[in-house]
Amino acid sequence: MPDKVDIVIVGAGMAGASLAAMVAPHASVLVIEGEDQPGYHATGRSAAFWEETYGGPGVFPLTAASGPYLRDGGFLSFRGAMNIGREADRAKVEAFVARFARLGAEIELLDRAAMERHVPWLREDWTCASWEPSCSDIDVGALHAHFLAEAKGQGAGIRVRSRLVAAERGAGGWTLTLADGARLGCDVLVDAAGAWADDIARIAGAAPLGIVPLRRTVVQLRTEPAATDTLPLTLDINGGFYFKPESGRVWLSPHDETPSAPCDAAPEELDVAVAVERLQGVVDWRIEAVERKWAGLRSFAPDRLPVYGFDARVPGFFWCAGQGGFGIQTAPAASALAAGLLLNRNFAIADGIDPAAYAPARFG
């Protein structure tokens, strides 16, 4: 019989690391990661912001509940966010503000003069915006390292270069086989594999949920005038772009969502060109150079909400997947919710969050 623990978590990105940190004080845990280091894929390529409205009303409870943990832990620095629109978008912007104000978000409408104060050289056809003063940059590296350290400090094991290739369920629990031939045993197998979530489900004999990886491109630009630290996160109310300052440069995304096989994602030149073109339609800045470009995979379930809970048909198989682009900003509350479901206990940070909204059983 292979060495056995209570719980094996597949994936050492933000989802797997945060869940391990929550669970390790109460159960024996091993996190297995196929790459050479934890957080190589989506976690290491994030645009790194916390915005209450990002992900929509269904994600809002997880984001809002995570805010105090992130802020009190020193992982956030205030940035502010504007979702901007043209005059034809005014009703959409007003509805956006009203919807999230009802949910309790700190949000208001801005007039053109206020928009210009936040983003100088904003082109004149952008006339309306929402404003979220609580939007903050996230120190993703520090947060991920924090969760890994918490997990290890509570006795969890972290094993890299350990790709899962087989999983068999028997009377005594799971027997797992890794690519190097090593075998492990556990009672519960957790799928926190990001873009590979459906692949891990197939290995375990569970039906895939239709979790699709979508490629997102980010470029770093040098501009004239240079980006100042006071610029907010600025997003298109129609989802065409977002940009923010980063150490005197601009981080820009065309908000692309191109379906992709699970892989080590790389940017396409067309997406880079589209991003630059869209920015030129927003601000009157001269783009002097594209200094860096990268891409990551954001993985979504069919309804674009994350999936937390035991599989409806395969005993001992637990989903922690489909976090889309909001897995980092929701990690504290999401991991507490998932840990509560795993251990059948309550974690205060997740109080009031309905787990049924994220249960895999919602897909039948």
Side-chain angles (χ1 to χ4, degrees), residues 119-361:
V119 181
W121 298 283
L122 184 69
R123 292 190 182 276
E124 63 182 14
D125 54 329
W126 299 93
T127 59
C128 53
S130 66
W131 173 246
E132 296 173 62
S134 63
C135 175
S136 300
D137 293 339
I138 303 176
D139 189 335
V140 177
L143 180 63
H144 188 224
H146 162 76
F147 284 132
L148 290 172
E150 286 286 304
K152 291 177 182 178
Q154 295 292 339
I158 312 290
R159 180 168 173 163
V160 297
R161 295 183 292 277
S162 297
R163 182 170 57 87
L164 182 68
V165 295
E168 297 179 1
R169 176 80 180 176
W174 291 97
T175 299
L176 312 178
T177 304
L178 306 182
D180 63 2
R183 301 181 76 209
L184 308 169
C186 64
D187 294 321
V188 176
L189 177 61
V190 176
D191 184 354
W196 287 263
D198 271 0
D199 289 346
I200 295 300
R202 292 185 185 96
I203 288 172
L209 297 182
I211 294 177
V212 178
L214 303 176
R215 189 178 69 244
R216 170 63 50 88
T217 304
V218 182
V219 298
Q220 177 175 299
L221 305 175
R222 187 175 77 248
T223 62
E224 174 57 40
T228 66
D229 287 341
T230 59
L231 284 171
L233 171 68
T234 304
L235 309 95
D236 178 10
I237 193 67
N238 293 308
F241 59 81
Y242 57 79
F243 61 88
K244 57 175 277 193
E246 183 67 27
S247 302
R249 301 297 191 256
V250 174
W251 279 11
L252 165 69
S253 173
H255 212 276
D256 48 331
E257 293 189 343
T258 306
S260 170
C263 66
D264 186 357
E268 298 284 344
E269 289 303 323
L270 177 60
D271 295 325
V272 173
V274 167
V276 170
E277 180 183 29
R278 289 178 182 175
L279 182 67
Q280 290 174 323
V282 180
V283 288
D284 190 19
W285 301 339
R286 185 170 74 252
I287 297 173
E288 297 189 327
V290 176
E291 295 184 331
R292 292 175 56 209
K293 51 193 174 183
W294 65 95
L297 298 181
R298 301 144 40 95
S299 302
F300 289 91
D303 61 1
R304 297 182 73 87
L305 293 180
V307 186
Y308 303 116
F310 282 100
D311 189 83
R313 294 183 177 85
V314 177
F317 185 79
F318 189 93
W319 291 87
C320 181
Q323 288 89 357
F326 37 79
I328 293 169
Q329 70 174 34
T330 62
S335 59
L337 179 70
L341 294 170
L342 267 174
L343 302 171
N344 193 27
R345 59 182 296 142
N346 293 325
F347 289 82
I349 190 174
D351 283 350
I353 299 176
D354 180 11
Y358 313 109

Side-chain angles (χ1 to χ4, degrees), residues 49-72:
F49 57 79
W50 179 90
E51 186 197 11
E52 282 188 299
T53 61
Y54 201 65
V59 176
F60 176 83
L62 297 169
T63 304
S66 296
Y69 183 103
L70 296 171
R71 196 167 293 114
D72 294 347

Side-chain angles (χ1 to χ4, degrees), residues 82-94 109-116 122-130 234-237 241 281-282:
M82 289 198 313
N83 277 269
I84 66 175
R86 297 180 172 91
E87 196 57 32
D89 302 314
R90 184 170 294 276
K92 188 172 186 176
V93 171
E94 291 174 350
L109 287 168
L110 290 185
D111 60 20
R112 170 69 195 191
M115 293 168 66
E116 289 177 347
L122 184 69
R123 292 190 182 276
E124 63 182 14
D125 54 329
W126 299 93
T127 59
C128 53
S130 66
T234 304
L235 309 95
D236 178 10
I237 193 67
F241 59 81
V282 180

